[in-house]
Amino acid sequence: MKRTTIKDVAKAAGVSIAAISYALNGKQSKVSAETLARIQATAASLNYIPDFSARSLVNKRTNLIGIIIPETEDHNPMILENPFYSEIVSAIEYELRKHDYHIIPTGMDKAKQYIDLSIQRNLDGIIIIGIYTDSLYEELKELKIPIILMDSYVNDTYFKNIGIDDEWGGRLATSHLIDNGHSRIALVTGSIKKDGVVEKRFLGYKGALEEAGIRYNQGYVFEHSISYEHGVRVGKIIADQHPEISGIFATADMISFGVISGLLEEGKRVPEDISVIGFDDIMMSRMFIPPLTTIRQDITMKGIKAAQYLLEAIQGDVSEDFEKIVLPIELMKRQSVRRITS
Amino acid sequence: MKRTTIKDVAKAAGVSIAAISYALNGKQSKVSAETLARIQATAASLNYIPDFSARSLVNKRTNLIGIIIPETEDHNPMILENPFYSEIVSAIEYELRKHDYHIIPTGMDKAKQYIDLSIQRNLDGIIIIGIYTDSLYEELKELKIPIILMDSYVNDTYFKNIGIDDEWGGRLATSHLIDNGHSRIALVTGSIKKDGVVEKRFLGYKGALEEAGIRYNQGYVFEHSISYEHGVRVGKIIADQHPEISGIFATADMISFGVISGLLEEGKRVPEDISVIGFDDIMMSRMFIPPLTTIRQDITMKGIKAAQYLLEAIQGDVSEDFEKIVLPIELMKRQSVRRITS
DNA sequence: TTGTAGGCGTTATCAC
DNA sequence: GTGATAACGCCTACAA
């Protein structure tokens, strides 16, 4: 079964291929109402579907958007195992699909590989989640296509930016613990990288402590990876070696789950014995037992906004200047934090 | 910055474009070793990256694979919110990327829309998760490209098939409850559709009961959607109105989480008061508290196998005959089921 | 308003 | 071995 081409439609409708192209691409001022109707009818009856490859060859637009997702810090190449990313990708896909764009999500082993993909496939735009090596950004700029950075504090006017106030979130979380009577507060976190969200959350943690007059204790910072396993490990350590710690701020909900499990394995209960607060409010967080107290960011909204922002940039509706969209966050009080009297 | 084309390379290397194409596409028998080397060198130095659009125009291959993901039964268009799907998509992406293919994952509002996508983008193959209307399969066959059905019992020799023995899984789960002394066993499930995995799991449930001489009680079947919320609802109902029920088989882990929470809200504890067994063994299941006893399928392996199988089909390495790959499953005994003496 | 024709970047078929 | 050249399907000046 050969595909129906524009030629077939032209022949069937008894007009030139140019007319078909005009009619079907909104340039209807160039076609009489009558032929327009006829063309639409025959196109439909022949079930004509344009070939994007051919189209992109001439006008360089593919309606394809790339999404770069970090391979997690433990070198896990399964890009969507982190539910935070799946939620975002889901939202982006949903929004983009409505506008007749499609996504190519991919993890990144080597930066080069991704640059290549972008050129090969003539991507119309890219959404990048997380932070990478500096050189990647330089190469990305060479692409000359709209790019959105999500959850990154890389500051370059070439890129559009979308995120939340992570430092403020870190403060909110820590303060909530403090407000509930806690003063020995551990931080369990993924690796603190320059320009990353984790760094800011960490800063928020320190800021809140300082504000409350609590001395920052480096021994209370457990930095490794954003993973359940790291949480479990630290949960056990705290249960076994730090009876004085009464509150834990985990910089991602996934870590919180691990911490709570690790604690439990050593006989400590949350929130009865120790309070835990997370960050992100992924879907599982409200389903967890106990439902997790956390800093909520509207992950779906973030994805949708990113998609819209990118679309605007592609269509040139947006200035070339640096802009950063900052979405609101919110403290979700659930059941993993308990008030104590010290 | 104009892109480097094959012409540029030809000029720089002082050969024809045909030579470039030969050299770079493995048809090296047609090029002398010397020119081959020169071509490779200049291509690299010019950073030449072929344009897939142009390529696909002539040879109809795009190295693009579509993945169709069900929008969940509660009309949630966020295709990856179900962690089961994210795990699969992740695995597929990972495997395909290794072979220089990319994925376009998408939910499906209307079948037509997806068929169009496939034609527009000249997809090389499609992986379809779940089941859909009969008419979709007919249209899909028209596409004449390799298609893999995952988690479907649609029986058509056109499609390759990959899945598990869901009925057996349902039996395993139910029997495990029975073996632990339970006899009043509820089934909490997504909608039981023809040719779907849920139907088979349901059959397994009935089969196990029958085998054990336990009368099947329709009032114990709570059918709605594969969602946390459905689980919560039913958990409460069982806690409040069915004190006699001691064991629950939920046909998906997501449902189990809900059931356990619902139960807890009404003061019933798992596994002390009621035992719960799930199905799938998504990542969260071992992180849940209590760690969920469930029927494990290797979701990642499933995705990888699907990708490999599809690649084989695309490369014609596989017979045209109907084949079904059935992956193993396993009972994971964790902590949500307790032995009782009745 | 409509049609002709050139070109987008590749690959593949021929001659040479 | 190597190189023109004709497709592939579409868009878009430019002509008619």
Side-chain angles (χ1 to χ4, degrees):
Chain A
M1 182 196 64
K2 276 192 67 267
R3 81 179 290 145
T4 307
T5 75
I6 200 171
K7 261 185 214 161
D8 302 326
V9 183
K11 204 180 309 171
V15 293
S16 75
I17 58 170
I20 309 293
S21 181
Y22 293 143
L24 268 28
N25 290 356
K27 301 198 170 44
Q28 299 163 352
S29 54
K30 314 205 64 176
V31 195
S32 75
E34 189 227 350
T35 47
L36 172 60
R38 184 150 39 94
I39 287 172
Q40 287 173 333
T42 59
S45 76
L46 262 49
N47 197 20
Y48 169 66
I49 299 164
D51 183 324
F52 276 36
S53 298
R55 173 179 292 177
S56 95
L57 202 52
V58 15
N59 64 202
K60 261 72 193 68
R61 301 186 77 251
T62 53
N63 283 35
L64 268 184
I65 304 296
I67 303 182
I68 305 189
I69 303 160
E71 299 193 348
T72 62
E73 300 159 47
D74 355 23
H75 295 293
N76 184 338
M78 301 294 158
I79 54 176
L80 298 174
E81 286 208 345
N82 184 327
F84 179 77
Y85 297 139
S86 350
E87 281 191 56
I88 285 195
V89 172
S90 252
I92 296 174
E93 191 277 336
Y94 166 71
E95 183 65 20
L96 250 22
R97 175 157 36 111
K98 289 202 300 189
H99 295 274
D100 211 24
Y101 279 71
H102 294 122
I103 60 167
I104 295 188
T106 172
M108 184 157 58
D109 324 1
K110 293 177 293 189
K112 175 79 172 63
Q113 193 180 0
Y114 199 79
I115 302 290
D116 287 4
L117 162 61
S118 164
I119 297 177
Q120 278 173 183
R121 305 254 182 226
N122 292 299
L123 301 182
D124 286 349
I126 304 180
I127 295 175
I128 300 179
I129 306 174
I131 52 168
Y132 302 85
T133 58
D134 289 346
S135 63
L136 174 67
Y137 297 102
E138 291 311 312
E139 301 193 66
L140 248 13
K141 286 160 75 167
E142 297 297 316
L143 259 23
K144 306 293 184 206
I145 60 174
I147 295 179
I148 305 245
L149 265 29
M150 180 179 260
D151 285 338
S152 156
Y153 286 84
V154 168
N155 209 314
D156 186 308
T157 58
Y158 179 87
F159 304 104
K160 312 292 173 194
N161 223 299
I162 186 163
I164 57 174
D165 187 339
D166 290 281
E167 178 164 355
W168 176 243
R171 270 187 118 87
L172 264 184
T174 312
S175 298
H176 181 59
L177 253 15
I178 295 172
D179 292 346
N180 278 279
H182 301 272
S183 59
R184 314 262 180 181
I185 300 174
L187 181 76
V188 191
T189 181
S191 88
I192 301 175
K193 293 185 202 154
K194 173 171 161 297
D195 293 336
V197 296
V198 167
E199 179 190 37
K200 303 298 176 188
R201 293 174 193 177
F202 165 62
L203 258 26
Y205 162 78
K206 277 171 78 168
L209 291 183
E210 187 173 10
E211 191 180 282
I214 301 173
R215 193 174 135 281
Y216 166 67
N217 178 345
Q218 187 158 295
Y220 283 1
V221 174
F222 300 86
E223 174 187 357
H224 186 264
S225 64
I226 297 193
S227 67
Y228 175 81
E229 290 71 20
H230 173 50
V232 172
R233 217 175 301 127
V234 175
K236 289 185 191 170
I237 292 174
I238 291 180
D240 295 342
Q241 305 169 19
H242 291 280
E244 80 283 10
I245 290 179
S246 68
I248 299 174
F249 168 32
T251 56
D253 288 351
M254 282 299 283
I255 301 179
S256 302
F257 301 151
V259 167
I260 294 175
S261 293
L263 250 16
L264 195 60
E265 276 187 50
E266 301 300 305
K268 298 278 189 188
R269 307 197 48 203
V270 174
E272 290 80 353
D273 303 318
I274 295 190
S275 290
V276 175
I277 185 167
F279 203 114
D280 285 340
D281 198 24
I282 61 177
M283 270 199 331
M284 268 316 297
S285 300
R286 61 171 189 278
M287 307 181 187
F288 203 71
I289 298 173
L292 191 70
T293 292
T294 189
I295 301 301
R296 169 179 177 73
Q297 54 172 317
D298 190 333
I299 304 176
T300 296
M301 181 54 67
K302 204 172 185 178
I304 290 179
K305 287 280 189 206
Q308 291 173 342
Y309 199 14
L310 183 58
L311 251 20
E312 284 171 14
I314 290 173
Q315 288 151 195
D317 296 353
V318 92
S319 73
E320 286 302 309
D321 296 359
F322 173 81
E323 296 173 64
K324 168 140 191 160
I325 295 184
V326 178
L327 263 22
I329 54 178
E330 183 188 357
L331 169 64
M332 296 300 290
K333 296 184 192 172
R334 289 200 273 245
Q335 300 172 31
S336 62
V337 170
R338 175 174 153 264
R339 151 158 266 116
I340 63 172
T341 48
S342 50
Chain B
M1 182 197 64
K2 273 191 70 262
R3 80 179 290 145
T4 308
T5 74
I6 200 170
K7 263 185 214 161
D8 302 326
V9 183
K11 206 179 308 172
V15 293
S16 75
I17 57 170
I20 310 293
S21 182
Y22 293 142
L24 268 29
N25 291 351
K27 300 197 172 44
Q28 299 162 351
S29 54
K30 313 208 65 175
V31 196
S32 75
E34 189 228 348
T35 48
L36 173 60
R38 184 152 36 95
I39 287 172
Q40 287 172 333
T42 59
S45 76
L46 262 48
N47 197 18
Y48 168 66
I49 298 164
D51 183 326
F52 277 35
S53 298
R55 174 179 291 178
S56 94
L57 201 53
V58 17
N59 66 199
K60 261 71 195 66
R61 303 187 75 252
T62 53
N63 283 34
L64 227 36
I65 303 296
I67 303 182
I68 305 188
I69 303 161
E71 299 193 347
T72 62
E73 301 159 45
D74 356 23
H75 295 294
N76 184 337
M78 301 296 159
I79 53 176
L80 297 174
E81 286 207 346
N82 184 328
F84 179 76
Y85 297 139
S86 350
E87 281 191 54
I88 284 194
V89 172
S90 252
I92 297 175
E93 191 277 337
Y94 166 71
E95 183 65 20
L96 251 23
R97 174 159 36 112
K98 288 201 302 189
H99 295 273
D100 211 24
Y101 278 71
H102 294 120
I103 60 167
I104 296 188
T106 172
M108 183 157 59
D109 325 2
K110 292 178 293 188
K112 176 79 172 64
Q113 193 181 358
Y114 200 80
I115 302 290
D116 288 4
L117 162 61
S118 163
I119 298 178
Q120 277 173 182
R121 305 256 182 225
N122 292 300
L123 301 182
D124 286 349
I126 305 180
I127 295 175
I128 300 179
I129 306 175
I131 52 167
Y132 302 85
T133 59
D134 289 346
S135 63
L136 173 67
Y137 297 101
E138 291 310 313
E139 301 193 67
L140 248 15
K141 286 159 75 167
E142 297 296 315
L143 259 24
K144 307 291 182 205
I145 61 174
I147 296 179
I148 305 246
L149 265 28
M150 181 178 258
D151 286 338
S152 155
Y153 286 85
V154 168
N155 207 313
D156 186 308
T157 58
Y158 180 87
F159 304 105
K160 312 292 174 196
N161 223 299
I162 187 163
I164 58 173
D165 188 339
D166 290 281
E167 178 164 353
W168 177 243
R171 270 187 118 89
L172 265 183
T174 313
S175 299
H176 181 58
L177 254 14
I178 295 172
D179 292 346
N180 277 279
H182 301 272
S183 59
R184 313 261 180 183
I185 300 173
L187 181 76
V188 191
T189 180
S191 88
I192 300 174
K193 291 186 202 153
K194 174 171 160 296
D195 293 335
V197 295
V198 168
E199 178 190 38
K200 304 298 177 189
R201 293 173 194 179
F202 166 61
L203 256 26
Y205 163 77
K206 277 170 77 168
L209 291 183
E210 186 174 10
E211 190 179 282
I214 299 173
R215 196 173 132 280
Y216 167 67
N217 178 344
Q218 185 157 295
Y220 283 0
V221 175
F222 300 85
E223 175 187 358
H224 186 265
S225 64
I226 297 191
S227 67
Y228 176 80
E229 290 71 21
H230 173 49
V232 173
R233 217 175 301 128
V234 175
K236 290 186 191 170
I237 292 175
I238 290 179
D240 294 343
Q241 305 169 18
H242 290 281
E244 80 283 11
I245 290 179
S246 68
I248 299 176
F249 168 31
T251 56
D253 287 351
M254 282 299 283
I255 301 179
S256 302
F257 301 152
V259 166
I260 294 175
S261 293
L263 250 17
L264 195 61
E265 277 187 49
E266 301 300 304
K268 298 280 189 187
R269 307 197 48 205
V270 174
E272 291 80 353
D273 303 317
I274 295 190
S275 290
V276 175
I277 186 168
F279 204 113
D280 286 340
D281 198 24
I282 60 178
M283 270 199 330
M284 267 316 296
S285 301
R286 62 170 188 278
M287 306 181 186
F288 204 71
I289 298 175
L292 191 69
T293 293
T294 189
I295 302 301
R296 169 177 177 73
Q297 51 173 320
D298 191 333
I299 304 176
T300 296
M301 181 53 66
K302 205 173 183 177
I304 290 179
K305 286 280 188 204
Q308 290 173 342
Y309 199 14
L310 182 59
L311 251 22
E312 285 172 13
I314 289 173
Q315 288 152 197
D317 295 354
V318 92
S319 72
E320 286 302 308
D321 297 358
F322 173 82
E323 295 175 63
K324 168 142 193 160
I325 295 184
V326 178
L327 263 24
I329 54 179
E330 183 187 357
L331 169 64
M332 296 300 290
K333 295 183 192 173
R334 288 199 274 245
Q335 300 171 32
S336 61
V337 170
R338 173 175 155 265
R339 150 159 268 115
I340 62 171
T341 48
S342 50

